[in-house]
Amino acid sequence: MDWSIALILTQDGVVNAAIYALLALALVLVFAVTRIIFIPQGEYVSYGALTLAMLELGKTPATVWLLVAGGAAALALEAFAHFRGRSVPWREALFWYAALPLITLLLTYALEWQTAPQWARMLLTIALIAAMGPITYRIFYQPIAEAPVLVLLIVSVAVHLALVGLGLLLFGAEGYRTEPLWDERFSVGPLLIPGQAFWVIGASLALIALLAWFFSRTLYGKALRATAVNRNGARLMGISPNLAGRLTLLLSAAIGAISGVLVSPITTLYYDSGFLIGLKGFVAAIIGGLASYPIAALGALIVGLIEAFGSFWASAYKEVIVFTLIIPVLFWRSLTTHHVEEE
Amino acid sequence: MNDTILSVENLHVRYGKVEALHGVSIAVPAGAIVTVIGPNGAGKTTLLSAIMGLLPSQGTIHFAGETITVPDVEYLVQRGMALVPEKRELFGEMSVEDNLILGAFQRYRKGDRSISETLDEVYQLFPRLKERRTQMAATLSGGERQMLAVGRALMGKPKLLMLDEPSLGLAPLIIREIFRTIARLREQGVSILLVEQNARAALQVADIGYVLETGEVTLAGPAERLANNPQVIETYLGMSKRQEKLAAVSA
Ligand SMILES: Nc1ncnc2c1ncn2[C@@H]1O[C@H](COP(=O)(O)OP(=O)(O)OP(=O)(O)O)[C@@H](O)[C@H]1O
Ligand SMILES: [Mg+2]
């Protein structure tokens, strides 16, 4: 290996690391607020990428019907809760589970997406997948929100498997790659950097900055932090765990969709590709102890670089190398962190 | 004044098989201070938690002209009920000011944007909090934490403020300050339900008192009358000469 190869591998690693960092942030956020280890995070990535691919090909992405069906199921659950005497926040329920899915459906059918500019297709895709977040929370997690972490994890695994299966049904087994936002290539020394790489890194950094602003400056961001710090205290302020859960999964689905549309011009994605991408984000999140955002971002950089160099030296084993990383990390964490008792 | 903001009738609460409240009835007239006193383990905290919807209960609850069939914390907060719980439940890793602002979350959600004015009022009430606005809540002293818990509840502009032992573990001087604040809140039209171990101070500030023992109301009436009740004097106000002198000084 010489310097130019090392540089190329580094470039590769950094671009992927940006995506892993986003997903790690989403995973840390979801765990802190809801205690859910959110295995299906990666599915939003593949759903995002494939939805965008469908729009590009002039097909109707079947995800929009999944969204409408999910919304209907969520509404049915709310109606059921209503008849059992619970107070249901109908205004929000109607917005998230009926209005938003129907508006997305309308937009998908009303406009000619194949000839639309790529950024417009990306925005529709992000809106469509992000809208799935609150619905996922309502259907699968809200009924068991007070359950132990292990139960929530088992449900996460089930939701992940269901979404991968649905992905095969909705998109087929074929892989897709989408048009890049920026077709140009830039040669810097030995490197030939695709414009999309700048997009990935730039958009990731911008999104991270936006999230930092959201959590430190806005009341809703503070409310999510408050829920993470003290659930009972937050409830007494009228911050319902359900509201926090909906909002958190909205963010996590949006982050997943954005990651999906960012990487799809670089990598061919299949209905089940999201899982491995999400898992690498998960390794990064674990390096941060599922609690620290900056360490998780650093972890993402480590994962990205190890993966890039691993694929050069032993490409068949690159996944194994990345996931083996989790063992020393867990060992190190078990030595350095204090055990925090649940609840 | 003869309006009732909160009335609880025949409230039962059980922890598993054990019943902790056996049909408790209390009422809080609008604009009044009502205190519930009683020994450790009587069920005072349980009562407040059940009213707030933190625990499942059986019985009838009327709040602000509405019958509450299934108490739901978020809904009650929105309707103007606030609880300062025994454990305070502050947001330890957030700043004092963030804690306070979060107290107004429901108001903000309803579109109320006058939160900074309420923040100024709370800072006026507790100047100490203003000095420590950027400090993490977890690093506050016991008294400051109490002030923050009360201030945070006030940020929601509650109609009914429920306080669970606001004097717990505080020095007499700060206790006096807290009780003076409670009296001042009544002047501002806030109704208060106060649970206290410090029976003397509680009965002094309150209009109406209840004595709760092993899950049942055993005595009720105007606070003044309770304070002169021989039974109450013996069990709750009987104290050594030295303590009595201290109490007289603080009064
Ligand atoms: N989570 C629980 N599970 C089982 N029993 C409980 C639980 N919480 C309280 N209890 C019991 O219910 C009874 C009433 O408790 P509660 O906390 O309401 O008393 P309290 O009047 O507030 O006492 P204190 O003055 O010491 O705060 C006690 O016997 C207590 O042991
Ligand atoms: Mg108590």
Side-chain angles (χ1 to χ4, degrees):
Chain A
M1 156 156 3
D2 56 25
W3 272 109
S4 61
I5 293 178
L7 267 178
I8 291 169
L9 292 177
T10 305
Q11 175 215 315
D12 244 28
V14 169
V15 171
N16 286 336
I19 297 297
Y20 300 151
L22 283 183
L23 295 176
L25 292 192
L27 287 162
V28 171
L29 168 65
V30 173
F31 183 73
V33 176
T34 65
R35 302 174 304 123
I36 300 169
I37 295 175
F38 199 53
I39 312 287
Q41 181 66 48
E43 271 61 68
Y44 292 138
V45 178
S46 43
Y47 276 31
L50 296 175
T51 299
L52 180 63
M54 293 300 125
L55 289 172
E56 241 177 61
L57 295 170
K59 296 184 192 165
T60 305
T63 28
V64 75
W65 284 108
L66 184 64
L67 178 66
V68 171
L75 272 183
L77 285 174
E78 294 291 21
F80 185 63
H82 181 86
F83 287 119
R84 286 182 52 193
R86 304 273 168 77
S87 64
V88 171
W90 277 113
R91 275 215 345 237
E92 282 139 56
L94 287 174
F95 174 75
W96 291 110
Y97 310 145
L100 199 60
L102 291 177
I103 290 171
T104 326
L105 180 73
L106 207 71
L107 276 176
T108 309
Y109 275 93
L111 300 174
E112 190 55 61
W113 289 101
Q114 196 174 12
T115 52
Q118 180 72 341
W119 60 263
R121 284 193 291 260
M122 288 169 85
L123 284 184
L124 178 72
T125 303
I126 293 166
L128 202 165
I129 303 300
M132 288 184 172
I135 293 174
T136 312
Y137 182 79
R138 179 62 188 91
I139 297 177
F140 299 107
Y141 295 105
Q142 186 172 319
I144 53 157
E146 300 304 319
V149 170
L150 184 63
V151 174
L152 294 169
L153 173 62
I154 292 168
V155 169
S156 282
V157 172
V159 173
H160 154 69
L161 292 174
L163 287 180
V164 171
L166 274 171
L168 178 60
L169 197 71
L170 299 179
F171 300 109
E174 214 175 317
Y176 296 91
R177 203 180 257 246
T178 60
E179 285 168 23
L181 270 174
W182 204 5
D183 234 344
E184 216 121 338
R185 282 168 178 275
F186 301 87
S187 62
V188 182
L191 297 179
L192 192 63
I193 305 175
Q196 185 68 21
F198 291 109
W199 262 105
V200 172
I201 293 170
S204 301
L205 290 178
L207 192 54
I208 289 169
L210 190 69
L211 286 171
W213 171 81
F214 174 73
F215 285 112
S216 62
R217 292 273 173 271
T218 70
L219 190 59
Y220 278 89
K222 285 175 186 173
L224 288 188
R225 270 167 60 209
T227 307
V229 171
N230 185 338
R231 282 171 87 73
N232 287 332
R235 284 189 74 193
L236 287 173
M237 303 300 105
I239 306 165
S240 114
N242 297 337
L243 169 73
R246 274 198 302 271
L247 193 54
T248 305
L249 281 219
L250 175 74
L251 288 174
S252 105
I255 292 172
I258 291 171
S259 310
V261 301
L262 284 175
V263 287
S264 61
I266 302 179
T267 324
T268 305
L269 289 179
Y270 299 82
Y271 71 97
D272 62 350
S273 307
F275 180 58
L276 274 186
I277 299 175
L279 212 52
K280 285 167 197 158
F282 186 69
V283 174
I286 289 285
I287 293 176
L290 273 180
S292 161
Y293 297 95
I295 301 182
L298 186 72
L301 195 61
I302 297 173
V303 170
L305 290 176
I306 289 184
E307 182 190 29
F309 283 85
S311 64
F312 178 75
W313 278 312
S315 83
Y317 294 107
K318 74 168 187 181
E319 316 288 12
V320 179
I321 293 170
V322 170
F323 295 123
T324 311
L325 175 69
I326 210 168
I327 295 170
V329 164
L330 285 178
F331 182 67
W332 164 64
R333 287 219 76 93
S334 74
L335 292 180
T336 55
T337 47
H338 303 283
H339 180 70
V340 184
E341 240 171 83
E342 192 184 318
E343 302 290 288
Chain B
M1 268 306 264
N2 48 16
D3 252 10
T4 306
I5 181 119
L6 173 78
S7 78
V8 176
E9 280 148 41
N10 201 18
L11 195 76
H12 291 261
V13 177
R14 40 177 60 252
Y15 292 110
K17 283 201 183 115
V18 187
E19 195 173 70
L21 292 184
H22 322 290
V24 171
S25 301
I26 62 164
V28 181
I33 300 181
V34 173
T35 185
V36 176
I37 57 175
N40 291 120
K44 305 181 297 293
T45 299
T46 305
L47 175 66
L48 294 191
S49 305
I51 294 172
M52 197 71 211
L54 293 168
L55 286 174
S57 61
Q58 279 179 320
T60 320
I61 298 176
H62 297 280
F63 175 62
E66 204 179 333
T67 307
I68 310 292
T69 37
V70 185
D72 173 77
V73 190
E74 291 81 28
Y75 180 73
L76 289 169
V77 172
Q78 198 184 317
R79 298 285 301 162
M81 196 187 276
L83 169 65
V84 176
E86 199 170 24
K87 291 180 186 154
R88 308 301 172 234
E89 309 282 11
L90 297 174
F91 306 120
E93 288 139 56
M94 298 176 79
S95 71
V96 167
E97 187 149 307
D98 279 352
N99 269 269
L100 289 174
I101 289 171
L102 281 162
F105 180 78
Q106 269 300 347
R107 284 174 58 204
Y108 183 87
R109 210 162 139 64
K110 281 190 286 187
D112 188 343
R113 293 295 179 267
S114 62
I115 286 161
S116 57
E117 280 133 57
T118 322
L119 189 64
D120 286 340
E121 284 168 30
V122 169
Y123 279 151
Q124 242 164 40
L125 205 55
F126 301 110
R128 189 94 63 93
L129 293 182
K130 187 167 188 178
E131 287 163 27
R132 312 207 160 261
R133 61 209 285 179
T134 55
Q135 195 173 328
M136 293 292 121
T139 62
L140 293 177
S141 78
E144 289 162 350
R145 294 166 62 86
Q146 230 85 314
M147 290 176 200
L148 180 55
V150 175
R152 188 179 66 167
L154 290 177
M155 286 296 296
K157 285 205 173 171
K159 293 191 193 115
L160 173 69
L161 179 62
M162 303 197 287
L163 300 163
D164 198 343
E165 303 203 23
S167 72
L168 193 71
L170 295 187
L173 218 64
I174 301 181
I175 295 183
R176 238 173 57 190
E177 201 176 317
I178 293 261
F179 275 95
R180 215 181 290 141
T181 311
I182 292 172
R184 191 143 17 120
L185 288 174
R186 170 177 47 193
E187 283 159 30
Q188 293 171 7
V190 183
S191 315
I192 291 166
L193 178 55
L194 171 68
V195 158
E196 258 302 336
Q197 291 283 343
N198 191 335
R200 186 178 296 272
L203 287 174
Q204 223 160 50
V205 74
D207 302 300
I208 297 171
Y210 289 85
V211 177
L212 189 69
E213 282 167 353
T214 56
E216 268 166 301
V217 174
T218 51
L219 277 173
E224 224 166 297
R225 182 128 43 92
L226 275 189
N228 293 321
N229 182 309
Q231 224 179 313
V232 174
I233 293 178
E234 190 183 336
T235 351
Y236 301 106
L237 306 179
M239 34 173 87
S240 69
K241 279 267 145 52
R242 209 183 78 81
Q243 277 174 313
E244 234 162 50
K245 241 185 236 157
L246 264 180
V249 168
S250 70

